[in-house]
Amino acid sequence: MSDRHNAQIALMKFLSAVARRTGSAEHIYVVGGAVRDFVLGRPIKDVDVVVDAVALGRDSAWFAQQLVRSIPA
């Protein structure tokens, strides 16, 4: 596997870990071109995330803040 592919896997695992840790994994979805590019082994240029705010009871800004807090400094 290339370093790029390893980095993409690490990114997806990071997003998944934050969603699981916050108890929101069932309501957070990676969608769009990032999914296609990941499956095809292409570079991921951006990641689109959908938050089912109705079911979760929190919005995308809340999840974005959780991501910010989880980024290693």
Side-chain angles (χ1 to χ4, degrees):
M1 258 187 246
S2 70
D3 288 340
R4 179 189 72 212
H5 191 68
N6 288 336
Q8 292 174 350
I9 290 172
L11 172 62
M12 295 302 180
K13 285 184 176 183
F14 172 74
L15 291 171
S16 178
V18 172
R20 283 192 319 272
R21 183 178 50 75
T22 59
S24 59
E26 294 180 9
H27 308 291
I28 307 288
Y29 307 91
V30 176
V31 298
V35 175
R36 177 201 60 226
D37 293 341
F38 181 77
V39 169
L40 295 175
R42 296 179 183 168
I44 295 175
K45 297 175 184 164
D46 66 343
V47 177
D48 299 311
V49 177
V50 172
V51 176
D52 183 351
V54 173
L56 182 60
R58 298 174 186 262
D59 62 11
S60 58
W62 172 83
F63 186 64
Q65 189 61 33
Q66 301 309 304
L67 289 172
V68 168
R69 290 181 181 149
S70 299
I71 294 172

